[in-house]
C-alpha cells in the first residue's frame, strides 16, 4: 500500500526534475557515440589537418563485438558517474532538508520507503541502460558489423546487474552519511576499486561484483563461456540484498538530522 | 476531561558526553493545551523530537494513552509540525496534503475530502494549486499545520510554531490554534511567553534539560505572582537619588533600578504606593508614572531562567 504511494511520489519527482529525460538521453548518447566515432575515425583524423604530408594511417576495422564492448567501457566511467551523481542525495537530501521529519512522524513503514526509492532507481537505471545499449547495438550493426545476438543480450544483462549494484551502493551510502560529496566519492571510489581489483587480482575476485563488467566484455569478444559468471551474478544479488537491508536499517536509525 | 493523554517518565537524551534532556517527567491531560517553555538551548526541540518519535530516547518512557491504555505505536495518533517545515518544492500544496493524508493511513477518497477541507481551513484554497517552492513562510507554516492535522490526531505536537513568523502570520497561526484546541490536545514549544499565555492552560518550563516549573497557568499565576510597583521619575539628580534610596524602605522586598525607572517588589501594593507618593511629595520629587500591579509571567520566566 505505502510502497505504491512512495513509488508514485519518487516517479513524479524524477519526472518533474527531468531525470527521466536527461539520464536516458545521456545514456543513449554515450551508447550511440562509440560506433559512430569508430566508424568515422579515419575521416576525423584526415580532417584534423595537422598531419604531416604523405603520412598514411591504416586502422584495422574493429569487429562489432569489440565496439559494443568499448561502449560498455564508456558506461563504466561516464555512465557510472552520471548514475552516482543523480542518485547520491536520494535519501540524504530528504534528511538534510527536513522533509523526512514530517514523513517519519507519520505511521510509515521504513521498508516501503526504502524499497520505493530502490525500485524507482533501478527502473531508471534499467530503462536508461536498455535504451543506450539498444542504440549502441543498432548503430554497431548498421555501421560496423554484426554482433552475436545471444552474447550481446547476455553481456547486457550482466552489465545491467553491475549498474544495479553500483546504484544499491549509492543508495546505501546516501542513507549512511549526509554530505553529497562524500556519498559520491565513496560510492564511485568503491565501485572503481572493485572493478580495478578484478583486473589486478583475478584469482581472488573471480566472483566479485566488480568482475561483472569484465565478464560482459569477455562474453562479447570471445564467444566462449566466461569463467565465474554465475557465481559473480549470484554474489552480486546477495550483496545488493545486504546493501538494501542495511539501507532500511540506516533509514530507521537516522530519521532526521537532529 | 482530566484523563492523561501523554505520560512522560524520566525522559533522558544524551549526545555523546552531553546530557541535553535530564530525566524529565510530565503528563498532558486530554483536551488541554500545554506549552513547553524555555530559553534557546534548553532542550525543547530535543524533547519534542523524542515525543514525535524522530529521536530515540537514551532513557525513560513515553506513553500515549488512547481510551485509557497505552498504545504500542503512537505515530497514528499524533500530528507533528517541525520547527521550520520543509516540503517538496516541486509538489503543489494540494498534492502534498493528499500525500501526507495517504501516508497517515487515509483512503484516497478520504484524503481528498480532508485535503479540500483543510486547504479551506488554513486559507490556502487558491494557493493549493501552486508549487510549494513559491510559498511564503507563513503559508508553509499553515500548510504544515494542515498536514499535521489531516488524519485528525489525538495529540498535536508543534515545535516553535510562530517564532519565525511576522506579526500577521503569527496572528493567523495563533487563531488557527485557538480553533484547533477545541478538538485536539495540543503540546507546543516556544520561547515567546506571550503566545503561551494566549492559548495555553498548562505550562512546563524547562531549563538546561530539567523541568524548572510545571502546572496550570492559573495556578502558577496565583502562586508565583507578586505585588509589584513600577515607578518612573524625572531625570534630575535629586529624583535619581530619591529613587535609589526608595529601594531600601522596609516595605520593599526587592528593587531593580535602571536610569529613571524602578521595579519594586513590595509586600502590600496599596500601602506601598501611598507611602511612596507621600515620600515623593515630601522630597519634592516629580513622579512621571506609577503603576501598581502583579508580576507577569515574563518576570517569573526570567527569574526561573536566571536563577
Amino acid at each position: 500500500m505505502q510502497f505504491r504511494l512512495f513509488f508514485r511520489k519518487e516517479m513524479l519527482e524524477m519526472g518533474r526534475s527531468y531525470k527521466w529525460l536527461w539520464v536516458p538521453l545521456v545514456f543513449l548518447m554515450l551508447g550511440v557515440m562509440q560506433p559512430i566515432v569508430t566508424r568515422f575515425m579515419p575521416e576525423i583524423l584526415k580532417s584534423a589537418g595537422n598531419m604531416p604530408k604523405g603520412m598514411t594511417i591504416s586502422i584495422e576495422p574493429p569487429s562489432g563485438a569489440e565496439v559494443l564492448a568499448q561502449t560498455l567501457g564508456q558506461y563504466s566511467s561516464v555512465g557510472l558517474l552520471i548514475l552516482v551523481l543523480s542518485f547520491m542525495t536520494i535519501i540524504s537530501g530528504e534528511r538534510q532538508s527536513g522533509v523526512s521529519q514530517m514523513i517519519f512522524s507519520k505511521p510509515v513503514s521504513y521498508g516501503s520507503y526504502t524499497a520505493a526509492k530502490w525500485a524507482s532507481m533501478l527502473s531508471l537505471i534499467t530503462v536508461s541502460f536498455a535504451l543506450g545499449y539498444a542504440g549502441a547495438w543498432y548503430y554497431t550493426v548498421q555501421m560496423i558489423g554484426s554482433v552475436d545476438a545471444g552474447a550481446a543480450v547476455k553481456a547486457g544483462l550482466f552489465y545491467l546487474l553491475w549498474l544495479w549494484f553500483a546504484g544499491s551502493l549509492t543508495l546505501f551510502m546516501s542513507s549512511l552519511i549526509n554530505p553529497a560529496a562524500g556519498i559520491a566519492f565513496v560510492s564511485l571510489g568503491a565501485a572503481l576499486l572493485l572493478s580495478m581489483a578484478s583486473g589486478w587480482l583475478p584469482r581472488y575476485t573471480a566472483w566479485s561484483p566488480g568482475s561483472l563488467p569484465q565478464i560482459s566484455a569477455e562474453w562479447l569478444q570471445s564467444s566462449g563461456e566466461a569463467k565465474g559468471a554465475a557465481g559473480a551474478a549470484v554474489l552480486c544479488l546477495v550483496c545488493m540484498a545486504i546493501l538494501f537491508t542495511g539501507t532500511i536499517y540506516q533509514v530507521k536509525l537516522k530519521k532526521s538530522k537532529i | 476531561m482530566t484523563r492523561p493523554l501523554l505520560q512522560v517518565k524520566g525522559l533522558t537524551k544524551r549526545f555523546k558526553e552531553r546530557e541535553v534532556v535530564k530525566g524529565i517527567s510530565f503528563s498532558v491531560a486530554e483536551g488541554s493545551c500545554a506549552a513547553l517553555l524555555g530559553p534557546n538551548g534548553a532542550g525543547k526541540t530535543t524533547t519534542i523530537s523524542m515525543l514525535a518519535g524522530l529521536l530515540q530516547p537514551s532513557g525513560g518512557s513515553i506513553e500515549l494513552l488512547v481510551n485509557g491504555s497505552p498504545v504500542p505505536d503512537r505515530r497514528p495518533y499524533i500530528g507533528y509540525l517541525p520547527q521550520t517545515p520543509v516540503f517538496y518544492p516541486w509538489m503543489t500544496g494540494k498534492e502534498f496534503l493528499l500525500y501526507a493524508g495517504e501516508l497517515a493511513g487515509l483512503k484516497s477518497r478520504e484524503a481528498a475530502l480532508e485535503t479540500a477541507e483543510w486547504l479551506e481551513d488554513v486559507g490556502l484554497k487558491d494557493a493549493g494549486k501552486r508549487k510549494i517552492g513559491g510559498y511564503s513562510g507563513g503559508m508553509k507554516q499553515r500548510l504544515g499545520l494542515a498536514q499535521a492535522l489531516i488524519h485528525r490526531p489525538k495529540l498535536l505536537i508543534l515545535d516553535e510554531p510562530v517564532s519565525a513568523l511576522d506579526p500577521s502570520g503569527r496572528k493567523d497561526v495563533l487563531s488557527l490554534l485557538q480553533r484547533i484546541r477545541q478538538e485536539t490536545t495540543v503540546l507546543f514549544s516556544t520561547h515567546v511567553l506571550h503566545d503561551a499565555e494566549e492559548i495555553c492552560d498548562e505550562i512546563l518550563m524547562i531549563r538546561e534539560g530539567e523541568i524548572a516549573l510545571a502546572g496550570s497557568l492559573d495556578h502558577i499565576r496565583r502562586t508565583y505572582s507578586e505585588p509589584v510597583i513600577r515607578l518612573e521619575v524625572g531625570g534630575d539628580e535629586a529624583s535619581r537619588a530619591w529613587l535609589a534610596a526608595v529601594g531600601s524602605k522596609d516595605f520593599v522586598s526587592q528593587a531593580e533600578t535602571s536610569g529613571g525607572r524602578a521595579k519594586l517588589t513590595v509586600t502590600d501594593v496599596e500601602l506601598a504606593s501611598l507611602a511612596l507618593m507621600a515620600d515623593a511629595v515630601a522630597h519634592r520629587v516629580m513622579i512621571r508614572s506609577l503603576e501598581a500591579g502583579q508580576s507577569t509571567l515574563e518576570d517569573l520566566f526570567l527569574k526561573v531562567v536566571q536563577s
Side-chain angles (χ1 to χ4, degrees), chain A residues 2 16 97 101-102 106 258, chain B residues 49 82 86 90 95 103 147:
Chain A
Q2 270 187 347
R16 293 213 181 146
S97 78
Q101 292 188 9
M102 258 187 276
K106 298 226 171 339
I258 349 166
Chain B
S49 299
V86 183
W90 50 268
E95 281 171 338
L103 282 184
Q147 68 80 31

Side-chain angles (χ1 to χ4, degrees), chain A residues 2 5-6 8-9 12-13 16 94 97-110 255-256 258, chain B residues 45 49 52-55 75-76 80 82 85-88 90-91 95-96 99-100 102-104 131 147 151:
Chain A
Q2 270 187 347
L5 202 58
F6 280 128
R8 211 169 59 204
K9 177 248 150 192
L12 196 66
E13 179 165 19
R16 293 213 181 146
E94 296 196 351
S97 78
V99 174
S100 63
Q101 292 188 9
M102 258 187 276
I103 305 299
F104 290 136
S105 64
K106 298 226 171 339
V108 297
S109 133
Y110 306 103
K255 293 167 199 145
S256 70
I258 349 166
Chain B
T45 297
S49 299
L54 293 173
L55 208 57
R75 292 181 304 169
Y80 168 65
V86 183
F87 305 88
Y88 300 111
W90 50 268
M91 268 194 188
E95 281 171 338
F96 191 87
Y99 181 56
E102 286 188 63
L103 282 184
K131 296 259 166 77
Q147 68 80 31
H151 55 300

Side-chain angles (χ1 to χ4, degrees), chain A:
Chain A
M1 241 342 264
Q2 270 187 347
F3 171 78
R4 255 178 41 206
L5 202 58
F6 280 128
F7 188 71
R8 211 169 59 204
K9 177 248 150 192
E10 291 299 329
M11 285 304 190
L12 196 66
E13 179 165 19
M14 284 183 184
R16 293 213 181 146
S17 59
Y18 300 108
K19 258 186 206 164
W20 271 110
L21 188 69
W22 69 265
V23 177
L25 267 184
V26 169
F27 268 70
L28 185 62
M29 246 174 53
L30 278 177
V32 169
M33 238 157 60
Q34 194 64 31
I36 294 184
V37 168
T38 311
R39 168 69 181 78
F40 292 109
M41 192 49 96
E43 278 80 359
I44 293 171
L45 286 177
K46 225 178 276 169
S47 66
N50 51 2
M51 292 285 174
K53 227 175 188 170
M55 184 176 174
T56 53
I57 305 167
S58 63
I59 297 174
E60 186 130 328
S63 73
E66 265 168 19
V67 173
L68 213 50
Q70 283 162 6
T71 312
L72 291 183
Q74 290 285 335
Y75 288 134
S76 293
S77 50
V78 185
L80 204 61
L81 185 73
I82 298 283
L83 283 187
V84 170
L85 289 184
S86 60
F87 291 120
M88 63 188 176
T89 56
I90 190 166
I91 291 174
S92 68
E94 296 196 351
R95 193 161 56 207
Q96 283 282 63
S97 78
V99 174
S100 63
Q101 292 188 9
M102 258 187 276
I103 305 299
F104 290 136
S105 64
K106 298 226 171 339
V108 297
S109 133
Y110 306 103
S112 302
Y113 175 83
T114 313
K117 295 222 176 264
W118 196 59
S120 64
M121 179 185 72
L122 294 193
S123 45
L124 181 59
I125 292 180
T126 309
V127 169
S128 304
F129 177 71
L131 190 70
Y133 194 62
W137 191 356
Y138 176 77
Y139 275 90
T140 304
V141 171
Q142 294 296 315
M143 302 182 127
I144 313 282
S146 67
V147 183
D148 176 35
V153 168
K154 258 196 236 167
L157 284 179
F158 270 79
Y159 198 83
L160 182 62
L161 206 55
W162 164 243
L163 291 182
W164 279 7
F165 173 79
S168 304
L169 186 67
T170 313
L171 191 76
F172 176 66
M173 287 316 299
S174 189
S175 72
L176 193 66
I177 56 178
N178 277 338
I183 297 165
F185 182 77
V186 177
S187 313
L188 274 176
L192 284 180
L193 265 181
L194 271 177
S195 62
M196 281 197 299
S198 61
W200 295 334
L201 311 157
R203 197 185 308 170
Y204 302 106
T205 57
W207 287 6
S208 140
S211 62
L212 285 168
Q214 278 197 338
I215 292 174
S216 328
E218 266 171 53
W219 232 318
L220 278 170
Q221 281 162 328
S222 58
S223 49
E225 194 73 15
K227 262 190 295 170
V234 169
L235 196 66
C236 177
L237 287 172
V238 170
C239 284
M240 277 168 62
I242 292 172
L243 284 172
F244 178 64
T245 317
T247 310
I248 298 180
Y249 178 72
Q250 285 297 327
V251 164
K252 194 174 174 183
L253 199 67
K254 300 182 181 143
K255 293 167 199 145
S256 70
K257 61 178 167 177
I258 349 166

Side-chain angles (χ1 to χ4, degrees), chain B residues 17-65:
Chain B
E17 304 291 275
R18 210 159 52 91
E19 203 167 35
V20 181
V21 177
K22 299 168 184 164
I24 61 175
S25 303
F26 62 89
S27 67
V28 176
E30 207 167 331
S32 69
C33 171
L36 198 60
L37 274 169
N40 291 328
K44 296 190 298 286
T45 297
T46 310
T47 307
I48 292 270
S49 299
M50 285 192 281
L51 295 181
L54 293 173
L55 208 57
Q56 198 61 36
S58 311
S61 70
I62 303 169
E63 275 183 350
L64 189 79
L65 298 114

